[in-house]
Amino acid sequence: MIDTEKSSEIAFAESAQDHVQFDRLQQLLRELAMFGGRDDGGVSREALTDIDLQARRFLIDKARSLGCEVRIDDCANLFFRRRGLSDLPPVLTGSHADTQPVGGKLDGAYGVVGGLEVIAALNDAGIETQRAIEVVAWTNEEGCRFGPGAMGSSAFVDPRRLTEYRKSMDATGMSFGDAVDLALKAVADVPRRPMAEQMSACVELHIEQGPVLERAQVPLGVVSGIQSVRWYQLHLTGSAGHAGTMPMEERTDAMAAAVGLAHQFYDYRVRHATDTLRLTLGRWQVSPNSINTIPGSVTFTVDVRSVDEQVLAQFESAMNDMIRDYNWAGSIAVENLFARPPTLFPDTMLAVIEQACERACTKALLAPPMRLTSGAFHDAMYLADQCPTAMIFVPSKGGISHNAAEETDPRELFLGVQALAYAVTILANLPLEK
Ligand code: HGY
Ligand code: MN
Ligand code: MN
């Protein structure tokens, strides 16, 4: 029953929150995790692979069974729309359905599935919202098969970026553009929608992927912002040679140079950087990658993050100096792959998220939510350029993510979707402006 004493927006939001179903949420998470499911409990569903396309078809069918209109844009971003009473800009939620090469069941998937559960709860509650609500599955958030990350949301907000993105190649030489065209062909039954359509607000539900909430024993996080990130790729070219015959001092060994530089980067972090700098040298390619050939070339990636963008700027300048001064006979080329400044979510949105989380936590007799900055980047960092945006976090067990062991307590997953249902319903019923 709707409590008419309260404002109708709040009454609807509470009703939506109270119609979220634990079992239905768990079931949909399990079903989506089967696409690329691994024996170790993880998920391997990289962007626009066949398994990702199969998962997309599953989500399309699911969304249609909930009465949603499904559309797709030129970057293969999938939108599941629940009509509103007006044709004002919709409220957007959702996340990404692609995973790391060895990812978990929840990174991204939880936000897409949580959005669909909110639609199901609104249907059960018989609530009609003023604004439409759209659940999105963004293309290629992870950026591991095709770099950079968050391509779908980035291109949605600024379609000019898509031309460059389409040229990005995966390890087999396939371009992102060709992969997108195949993905669009696979869903020829899904109408196209223009990119950059104005949204009225965006809320992304995601696992924290770090240890903060769990250590604080707090079940829900109100995300105040996202730290800055920069990605580079270093190409070192020396000369291949025989591992047994070539004297050490006559070698131009690309691996020796790469390891030497890597050591200098780690030392820099210890000697100069504040502890806010996080450095990851995650992907290495060696050629010819033979046990008894001196590596002729080595390519490795650098991922740096900090809440303070100045720290990243200082690292970049130091990195370029170290590369320039590195003493060897070979060459080193640097490719800038990605750079995003810190994202701050507006107080007006944080207030809505706080209210949504507080009601869910109070009803569950759990600790109130806390504010925190996201260590991981998310599609919300681009949506924040287009409309008032915010995020809700749930804890990650052991702070583990980008790992098959990624896990969150099902009761916390349920609480997160309850908070999302409340927030999205409030936003979809806010007094109507233009
Ligand atoms: O790398 C990131 O921060 C995101 O999880 N893709
Ligand atoms: Mn993610
Ligand atoms: Mn991720």
Side-chain angles (χ1 to χ4, degrees), residues 52-68:
D52 186 31
L53 301 192
Q54 289 166 33
R56 286 162 160 260
R57 173 53 67 187
F58 165 77
L59 290 168
I60 291 166
D61 294 347
K62 185 70 203 170
R64 283 175 170 159
S65 74
L66 291 169
C68 292

Side-chain angles (χ1 to χ4, degrees), residues 96 98-100 107-108 141-142 206 209 376-378 401-402 406:
H96 58 95
D98 65 300
T99 74
Q100 286 283 317
D107 178 2
E141 187 277 344
E142 295 292 356
H206 206 286
Q209 301 181 286
F377 65 70
H378 301 283
S401 184
H402 286 193
E406 178 184 276

Side-chain angles (χ1 to χ4, degrees), residues 231-264:
W231 283 2
Y232 311 90
Q233 187 151 260
L234 272 61
H235 305 274
L236 290 90
T237 308
S239 41
H242 195 295
T245 57
M246 175 68 81
M248 289 305 283
E249 65 284 358
E250 294 173 27
R251 297 181 178 200
T252 312
D253 179 342
M255 182 52 88
V259 168
L261 258 184
H263 271 297
Q264 289 189 22

Side-chain angles (χ1 to χ4, degrees), residues 119 169 280 298 354 357:
I119 300 263
M169 308 283 258
T280 309
V298 170
E354 216 128 55
C357 293

